[in-house]
Amino acid sequence: MVCIYCGGNTRIINSRLQNRTNITWRRRQCLSCKSIATTLEQIDLTRSLVVNNKSGETCAFIPEKLFLSIYESLKHRPTAITDARHLSNTVISRIINPSNGKIESRVITEITLVVLNRFDKVASAHYNAFH
């Protein structure tokens, strides 16, 4: 990776995997100017995960679509945006672990219902009504 300050090459001086969010945190140091920067590396789910629809068609997984459906269910809460972001990250981490790159849309719905039910039963009922 190139330095954000001078464009020189960097080396990794510290790295940690964040298990809950599937993000790798890295501290990098420039070989030229010796400046230090932090990066977060995350899987590109739209290119890595394929969803099989109810009709049998396959399409790319779109995390924003999951976020919006959870957000719609949580609109009654004052912290709906923050809650939806955290809950969608939880659902995504549960989707990624057992999958081999393909997942059924009904499995995503089931996992989301379990996560929502533990967090907010009203939101779970709302999500279930639309899915």
Side-chain angles (χ1 to χ4, degrees):
M1 187 167 186
V2 297
C3 176
I4 59 172
Y5 302 110
C6 72
N9 289 328
T10 61
R11 68 181 178 100
I12 298 169
I13 56 175
N14 195 355
S15 182
R16 295 186 188 137
L17 175 63
Q18 307 294 322
N19 289 330
R20 288 184 349 157
T21 58
N22 291 315
I23 295 175
T24 303
W25 174 92
R26 297 190 196 276
R27 178 87 62 193
R28 297 175 180 271
Q29 183 175 30
C30 179
L31 300 174
S32 300
C33 69
K34 304 295 183 211
S35 62
I36 296 176
T38 301
T39 61
L40 298 173
E41 298 174 12
Q42 186 173 0
I43 300 169
D44 183 5
L45 295 171
T46 58
R47 298 175 192 247
S48 304
L49 194 59
V50 176
V51 178
N52 292 329
N53 292 341
K54 295 173 189 171
S55 62
E57 298 175 3
T58 59
C59 60
F61 176 74
I62 303 169
E64 292 81 12
K65 190 174 176 182
L66 175 65
F67 168 81
L68 287 174
S69 67
I70 293 173
Y71 172 72
E72 287 295 322
S73 301
L74 294 169
K75 273 191 169 177
H76 65 279
R77 299 177 62 87
T79 57
I81 293 174
T82 306
D83 295 340
R85 183 170 24 98
H86 292 298
L87 291 171
S88 62
N89 287 339
T90 301
V91 171
I92 289 169
S93 68
R94 292 185 183 182
I95 290 170
I96 291 172
N97 290 336
S99 106
N100 60 355
K102 293 183 181 179
I103 192 161
E104 300 286 329
S105 62
R106 67 170 179 75
V107 174
I108 296 172
T109 303
E110 291 168 4
I111 292 171
T112 305
L113 278 171
V114 169
V115 169
L116 277 173
N117 195 36
R118 289 184 181 159
F119 183 74
D120 185 334
K121 294 197 184 304
V122 173
S124 177
H126 186 270
Y127 184 87
N128 195 24
F130 288 98
H131 292 86

